[in-house]
Amino acid sequence: MNKICGLIKSEGICSFLKRVFCSIKRRVGVKLYFWRKVKWNEKQLNMQRNTDYTKNILFSIVVPVYNTPAEYLVKMLDSCIMQTYPGWELCIADASDSRHSYVGDIISDRIKDSRIHYIKLKGNNGISDNTNEALKMAGGNYIVLLDHDDMLHPSALYECMQVLEKQPADMIYTDELVFKNKINNILSLHLKPDFSPDSLRGNNYICHMSAFSRSLFEKTGFFRKEYDGSQDYDMILRLTETADNIVHIPKVLYFWRSHSGSVAGGISAKSYAAEAGRRALISHLERIGRCASVDCNDEFPTVYNISYDIPENVGISVLIWGTKKNAVSHKGIMKLEADTDYDICDIYVGGNVLNSDKDAIRSKYALFEDIPDIYTFLNTSLEEAKGSYIVCMNGMAEILTKDWLEKLLMYALWHDTGVVGLKTLSSYDRILECGAYIKDGASKKPVCLNRGLNRKNCGYMMRNMYAHNIDIPGTLCFMVERKKLIGALQYDYGYSDRYCMAMLCLSIKKMGYFNICNPLAEIIMIPDKRGDCL
């Protein structure tokens, strides 16, 4: 009750009720998702069992077990035996102590299935060494990692085969859910994006289920004991560095059990895991030649915040387009410069500008008048802009993070990066935009992700806490390398200013680059007299 009263006092009754409504809506949505998308029926499974394949692929499911509770162990084993694709083997390395001898007895009862291989280890040498012993037993074309207290969806390997029948993939991963006691008692759904390297560097979003080819494993090597606790994160980072084709199956095919001894139940169960993950990430960055420092997030220790080194004297030009509801002012530009640590090369202004400020702006900055739209403005100002990197700002903003340009530039510098966006706030300490998508329909209106959430809200799967890949990092403000922006401006996108910004992001992504939103950089869009920014 005290917590509820505290929330009402700090957020206000309206925000509190909105939070309650959203929580109920989320829980109902998760339940509906399970019954519509995850739950299986026997007719569906029989159809899969009768499927013919053109390829003969053996999956080696690798499981290290240690003092596994009997109920969890039985469920894990049965989830493997229930697989509708028959080409699998289960490789179990048992490090359980003498007080848990039932583990071997339960497995022995199932060894009647010749696909199950079992070895009793002499002792517990840690998760990495135990897993490596199970890996040594594996003879399959692909290796699947499964924790001893989790479960696979009956269609997990069938869905992997559907991918491999159509294309060569050396790594596959799926969506997952976290449950407690029963799989329909869902704590969270983790619906993942397609391969996103910057997201992976911020958090091990791939996690479960992952399958990788034997040839990729042979290049990568075994698990490394020095990263116990985050040995899977270290392995995934090394696998993705080498993999040529990483495929995401957008289906929940892995069930991650939450209990007092699992990371799903809270990082405090394995507090050493966060530091092991940080060291694994540092090792990864060194291998790919990126100089950086890495910190664990204070609130979420397995979220990592990277600070890449930035070379000196990189030129940045800022292009500000005044909108109907957000006019550009001379005072606003001067404040933007004063609140920014980085030295800006030059500033170009177009669109809606306060009439009383035009002379003052013209005397110090480049003012483009009588330009009809943001597309024309960007093309025109780029002809004169001196910076190698361009900030496109759709409306007047105030700076919250003084090193905001550094936080954008440190990602924009990389050859595989396209657009880098940030977290945009309203004047009420609420998120206005932290990523966006295009709404279906004729309006082509961009929809702001996370809009209305509290500034400190961690977002879905904590994505507001670290730099992550997203198709449209923002429609209000972003940075991009000059030559990449010029390549995307070949087409006149028409429609609204924000739609043009969104389409620029998508065009640059289609050119083969990864777009990024870094929510650690923050600005506030200045509202009009009615309090509206968009």
Side-chain angles (χ1 to χ4, degrees), residues 217-233:
F217 167 64
E218 288 171 351
K219 294 175 187 175
T220 303
F222 287 94
F223 285 91
R224 302 194 290 184
K225 188 177 181 65
E226 60 266 37
Y227 298 106
D228 273 5
S230 285
Q231 74 290 335
D232 53 345
Y233 188 34

Side-chain angles (χ1 to χ4, degrees), residues 153-300:
H153 190 289
S155 304
L157 301 184
Y158 166 84
E159 294 292 348
C160 289
M161 275 304 297
Q162 295 305 299
V163 170
L164 296 172
E165 286 278 288
K166 297 173 184 176
Q167 61 177 306
D170 40 16
M171 186 171 180
I172 300 170
Y173 66 94
T174 75
D175 294 346
E176 62 188 308
L177 63 78
V178 178
F179 74 99
K180 190 170 186 178
N181 300 325
K182 296 182 180 180
I183 59 170
N184 62 353
N185 182 22
I186 302 167
L187 301 182
S188 64
L189 283 171
H190 193 177
L191 308 179
K192 307 170 187 177
D194 290 343
F195 180 57
S196 305
D198 297 286
S199 299
L200 184 59
R201 292 173 192 131
N203 178 253
N204 182 13
Y205 82 89
I206 289 180
C207 206
H208 314 109
M209 177 189 88
S210 58
F212 46 90
S213 68
R214 173 164 292 279
S215 59
L216 181 61
F217 167 64
E218 288 171 351
K219 294 175 187 175
T220 303
F222 287 94
F223 285 91
R224 302 194 290 184
K225 188 177 181 65
E226 60 266 37
Y227 298 106
D228 273 5
S230 285
Q231 74 290 335
D232 53 345
Y233 188 34
D234 173 60
M235 174 62 85
I236 288 171
L237 286 169
R238 289 187 288 136
L239 290 168
T240 54
E241 289 168 27
T242 311
D244 292 321
N245 187 25
I246 301 170
V247 176
H248 165 228
I249 300 175
K251 295 182 179 181
V252 173
L253 300 174
Y254 191 98
F255 306 130
W256 188 1
R257 186 187 299 275
S258 174
H259 57 85
S260 58
S262 73
V263 174
I267 190 62
S268 59
K270 296 179 180 177
S271 56
Y272 58 91
E275 175 56 25
R278 191 184 76 87
R279 289 188 287 104
L281 179 56
I282 291 171
S283 178
H284 159 74
L285 294 173
E286 289 173 350
R287 287 192 301 273
I288 64 172
R290 297 194 178 187
C291 298
S293 60
V294 178
D295 295 310
C296 295
N297 184 278
D298 293 336
E299 191 173 354
F300 302 98

